[in-house]
Every structure is written in C-alpha cells, then in structure tokens.
Amino acid sequence: MMQGFVKEKEFYKQAACIAIPISLQSVITIGVSMMDNIMVGALGETALSAVALANQFIGIYQIGCMGIGMGASVLTARFWGMKDITSLKKVVTIMFRICIGLALLVFMAPTLLIPDRLMRIYTEEAEVIAQGVLYYRWMVPCYLLHGLTLTSTLILRSAGQVQIPLVSSAGAFFVNIFFNYIFIFGKLGAPKMGVQGAALGTLLARIFEFVFICGYFFGKDQKIGYRIKDLFGECASLLGEYIRVALPVVISDTLLALGNTAVAMVMGRIGSGFVSANSITAVIQQISTVLIQGICHAGCIITGHTLGRGEQEKAQEQAWTFLWLGAIVGAAGAGIILLIRSYVIGFYNITPETKQIAWKLMVAIALIVVFQSVNGVMTKGVLRGGGDTRFLMVADVLFLWIVSVPLGALAGLYWHLDVFWIYVFLKLDQVIKAVWCVFRLKSRKWIKMLSTQLI
C-alpha cells in the first residue's frame, strides 16, 4: 500500500543538505557543457557533431566510473552508518584500483592509438571523424584525472561531505570557460585551435578538479582519513561483499553507457543535424533534472545511513517520500523544458531544419522526464541505497537492451518515424522501469542487509 510523506522535519533538512549542494554542482557542470556547446557551435555543425560524438566514448568511461563509485558508495554509506571506518577504507581501496585499471587499459590506450576507429563507431562522415580525432589528442589524460576525481567525490558524499565537491566544480567552471574562450577562438595572443581548444580547456579544468578534490581527500580529510598508503593496504576481506553489492551497479551503469552509445550510433547515422539537435536538447534535459540528481544521491545516502543503523521500517517510510518527491520534481522539469525550449534553441548557430528537429525532441523529452525522474530516484537512489543492486541490473538489461535499443534503431533507421517517436522509443525503458520500481518498493524486497550486519 502506498504511503504518504515523512512527517519528521529533520528528514527533509538532511535531504536538503545533501540534495541542494549536489544539484548546484550539477548546475555548474551543465553550465560548462552548455558553454562548451555554444562556443564549439560557433565553429559550425561539423565541429559541434564531432565533439558530441567523441564525448560519447569518453562518456562510457565516466558512467563506468559513476557505477564503480556509486557501487562503492552503497557500501561506504552503510559502513558510515555503522561507524565502521576500517571497512569503509577497504571498499575505497578496491574502488580506486578498479578505476585506475579501467582508465589505463580500456580507455586511454584506444583513445591514444586508434582515435579514428573510435569515431567511426558513431559516424561515417569524414569531416566529423577528422575533427573528432583532433579532439581526442588532448583528452587522453582526462580519463585518469576525471575518474579519480569523480570516485573520490562520491565517497565524500557518502559520508555527508558535499560542500568540497561543490566548491571544486565552481572553480572548474571558470577555468574551463576561460581557457575555452582563449584557445577555441585564439584570444589574448593564444593560437586559434578550434575543437582542440575545447579539448585543452577541458583538460585544464580536469587538472584543477583533480588537484582540488584528490588533494583534499588524500591529504586533509579527517572524517574518513584515507591516505595514499591505504591504496596499498589489504582489502581482500571485503572483495566478496564489494562484488555482491557493487559489481551489479558497475554492470548496470556500464550497460547504460553502452546503451547511450548505441543511441548515439543510431543518431549519428540519421545525420549530423539530428546529432546537433540532440546535443542541444541534452543540455536542456540536464537543466530540467538537476534537482532529480540531488534527490537521487540524497536517497541513496540517507537510505544507506538509515539501514546501517538497522532501521528498516524508517527506511521504507523514507523511500515512499523520495518516490513522491521524484514525481513532483519530474513534472516541474517537464514544465521548465516547455517554457524555455525556444530560448535555448535560439542560442545556437544551426540550420532551420536542425531547429525543427530540436523543437520536436524537446516535446518528447518533456514527456519522458516525468518517468525518468521517478525511475532515477528509485534506481539510482533508494533501491540502490537499499542494496537491491542485482534487481536493478536485471531491469537495465531487460528494458534497455530488449526494448529501447531495438525499437529505437528500428524507428530511426528502418521505419524512419518522426523524431518525436524515435526519441520516445529510445527512452521507453524509462517508462517501464518507473512502473516496475513502484511494485518493487511495495514488495519490500529491496531492503538487503550486508553480511556484516547479519552476523
């Protein structure tokens, strides 16, 4: 039976203290992406498409790191609630080792050695490929820098430390915009580098974030007290627990990244106009869901802390409140999209055909974002914080790969449907998962206790 809202003011205060800084950090990140798009868009649709498609492969690593970090944070939030710092550090060590190995072996090597082949995954247009290869040249170090920064940020959040990442993102915003302006357009005596300038600006921003976040995490943080020497410490005793809880998160988020790549492949073969329009709509979609991201993280962290204290009934009550908050924020996000779409599209130097595509995509996004909000708060927040990660992995496999990707490919490449319906089919998994998560929440099977809590 569905429940109402939690009546304790302390719950909302705690959720706001986590969600608002994370949402503000998301706003800053989106601001960087939007300014990147506007600046690169001034170079023309070929450059805009090249950067957008090149970032698809980079995005696989970023989402993979999100999975690694979020999987670890499920455990670290629980251990934080249990006041077990020793076990928390072991989980962090496992996380860092996986992140570094993934960066070096799986992503940095192919980006350095075969950038043209990576671009051909997404498009067959020679000019777009050439621009993408130039962009990749500067992005190789970004994998390791961003991966360590991102995972450290997620661990800090799991212990309730959300202010440091916010300050870091604010600084990175100005670093990125300043150097983008200089190197893309050749200002203040710098060479005019085009898409390479955008890549260099991003690299400098990643260096700033790494120094700020990892310098704090490894050198100054006293709550967790993790230090570089801990990277070489014993962690095998928790490897089984990590694999059981965190590995499904890594697999789930990696499948999401690969699904996004499959979507990009479909869009890339429809044409550069569709790619450019989707790049524009991606920014407005992010703007409309910034609060959702904050609520997702708050749901995961608070649920982990509550279950870490063994309070299962309280966690169930809080979960229903997060679901309702997700629905409300999703509806508000849909309204924002419809209100500001014409202003956002007007910022870009694109053809009338691309503007029409972007306009239709905005309507489709407004429809999907309501379901995406409910689904996100549950799958990336409450249910994940409850340790129900294997269920979520199965849901991603079934609905993304059996429903959305095949139907989206058919709609775009064979049936040649209107762009509205192509997008709806590509995102149909969001609708199905939102409904399925409600039933999962009602069943109470989502609450999983750690083996250390069952002893």
Side-chain angles (χ1 to χ4, degrees), residues 23-45:
S23 297
L24 290 174
Q25 187 178 355
S26 297
V27 170
I28 294 169
T29 302
I30 291 165
V32 172
S33 298
M34 189 170 184
M35 291 303 296
D36 276 353
N37 276 354
I38 292 173
M39 289 182 181
V40 175
L43 302 174
E45 289 189 15

Side-chain angles (χ1 to χ4, degrees), residues 305-338:
H305 291 177
T306 302
L307 291 176
R309 296 190 297 269
E311 300 173 343
Q312 295 188 31
E313 289 299 323
K314 187 174 183 179
Q316 180 73 14
E317 182 185 14
Q318 291 172 345
W320 281 111
T321 300
F322 277 117
L323 184 144
W324 289 117
L325 289 174
I328 292 169
V329 172
I336 291 172
I337 291 171
L338 296 176

Side-chain angles (χ1 to χ4, degrees), residues 21-33 146 149-150 153 157 162-177 205-206 208-210 212-213:
I22 293 175
S23 297
L24 290 174
Q25 187 178 355
S26 297
V27 170
I28 294 169
T29 302
I30 291 165
V32 172
S33 298
H146 190 50
T149 301
L150 182 58
T153 293
R157 287 175 178 175
V162 294
Q163 302 296 335
I164 296 297
L166 175 60
V167 175
S168 173
S169 290
F173 172 82
F174 292 107
V175 170
N176 187 267
I177 297 304
R206 296 296 184 223
F208 173 86
E209 288 178 322
F210 174 78
F212 197 102
I213 291 292

Side-chain angles (χ1 to χ4, degrees), residues 28-163:
I28 294 169
T29 302
I30 291 165
V32 172
S33 298
M34 189 170 184
M35 291 303 296
D36 276 353
N37 276 354
I38 292 173
M39 289 182 181
V40 175
L43 302 174
E45 289 189 15
T46 298
L48 183 60
S49 296
V51 173
L53 292 177
N55 276 317
Q56 290 297 322
F57 183 72
I58 297 169
I60 296 175
Y61 175 71
Q62 292 175 347
I63 295 178
C65 284
M66 281 293 293
I68 294 168
M70 286 297 294
S73 70
V74 172
L75 292 171
T76 55
R78 195 73 65 90
F79 285 130
W80 182 261
M82 296 164 61
K83 307 300 181 185
D84 186 353
I85 302 299
T86 300
S87 295
L88 190 157
K89 287 184 177 181
K90 292 180 179 180
V91 172
V92 174
T93 297
I94 296 171
M95 175 196 73
F96 279 140
R97 290 178 182 178
I98 295 174
C99 177
I100 293 169
L102 187 67
L104 294 175
L105 301 177
V106 181
F107 288 90
M108 292 174 71
T111 302
L112 181 64
L113 299 174
I114 53 170
D116 55 330
R117 295 184 185 180
L118 296 180
M119 286 300 298
R120 286 193 181 95
I121 295 174
Y122 305 106
T123 183
E124 297 173 355
E125 297 184 29
E127 291 185 11
V128 175
I129 292 172
Q131 291 287 303
V133 169
L134 294 175
Y135 185 80
Y136 274 141
R137 288 178 180 174
W138 294 91
M139 298 303 291
V140 175
C142 289
Y143 291 110
L144 194 57
L145 294 170
H146 190 50
L148 291 172
T149 301
L150 182 58
T151 49
S152 297
T153 293
L154 292 169
I155 299 305
L156 287 170
R157 287 175 178 175
S158 72
Q161 299 190 69
V162 294
Q163 302 296 335

